[in-house]
């Protein structure tokens, strides 16, 4: 049974930092990613990482502020978020897929999802 468990969300002031974690279990993965969803908006791609080799893909908006990484020994993915802005407020979801080939930035290419963790950035 695949499980993805996010942690690390919370409330932070603009300009602050948060680190999210996603503990994955149940199978091996080709890639995992972070998505976010703000109220009234569609789920949005943040970043993804391939577990073999560690190559990464980012959306435009977090480049230079967010860093995605993995610890293969712990089967855990991280998202370090710096210089947070109020518009980063959303529920952040961890997602995973076992197969390669389809674009990593599309949420429907991920069959496994975590429960989400709330990130709130105050101005």
């Amino acid at each position: 049974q695949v499980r993805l468990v996010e942690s690390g969300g919370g409330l932070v002031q603009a300009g602050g930092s948060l680190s999210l974690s996603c503990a994955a279990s149940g199978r091996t993965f080709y890639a995992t990613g972070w998505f976010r969803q703000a109220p009234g908006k569609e789920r949005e791609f943040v970043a993804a990482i391939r577990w073999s080799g560690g190559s990464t893909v980012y959306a435009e908006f977090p480049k230079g502020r967010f860093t995605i990484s993995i610890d293969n020994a712990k089967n855990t993915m991280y998202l370090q978020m710096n210089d947070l802005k109020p518009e980063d407020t959303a529920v952040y979801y961890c997602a995973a897929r076992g197969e390669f080939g389809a674009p990593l930035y599309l949420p429907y290419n991920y069959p496994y999802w975590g429960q989400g963790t709330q990130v709130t950035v105050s101005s």
Side-chain angles (χ1 to χ4, degrees):
Q1 181 182 359
V2 174
R3 288 193 69 204
L4 302 174
V5 180
E6 301 104 332
S7 60
L11 173 65
V12 65
Q13 288 188 331
S17 298
L18 280 175
S19 181
L20 305 182
S21 299
C22 173
S25 61
R27 64 161 293 170
T28 58
F29 300 103
Y30 165 69
T32 50
W34 291 100
F35 291 78
R36 70 184 189 181
Q37 189 164 18
K41 295 188 176 181
E42 293 188 352
R43 193 161 296 191
E44 178 181 37
F45 172 69
V46 178
I49 187 166
R50 296 176 180 88
W51 282 51
S52 179
S55 61
T56 59
V57 180
Y58 288 90
E60 281 300 317
F61 71 85
K63 286 182 179 178
R65 298 191 298 127
F66 294 4
T67 302
I68 189 171
S69 62
I70 54 171
D71 183 332
N72 293 84
K74 296 181 179 180
N75 270 12
T76 300
M77 175 179 67
Y78 304 95
L79 185 68
Q80 177 64 42
M81 303 185 293
N82 299 326
D83 190 24
L84 283 160
K85 307 175 187 299
E87 53 264 40
D88 293 318
T89 295
V91 177
Y92 283 70
Y93 295 92
C94 167
R97 51 186 278 186
E99 308 299 327
F100 81 105
L104 293 179
Y105 57 87
L106 295 173
Y108 56 76
N109 287 329
Y110 291 81
Y112 310 111
W113 290 84
Q115 80 285 356
T117 185
Q118 177 71 46
V119 171
T120 303
V121 184
S122 63
S123 57

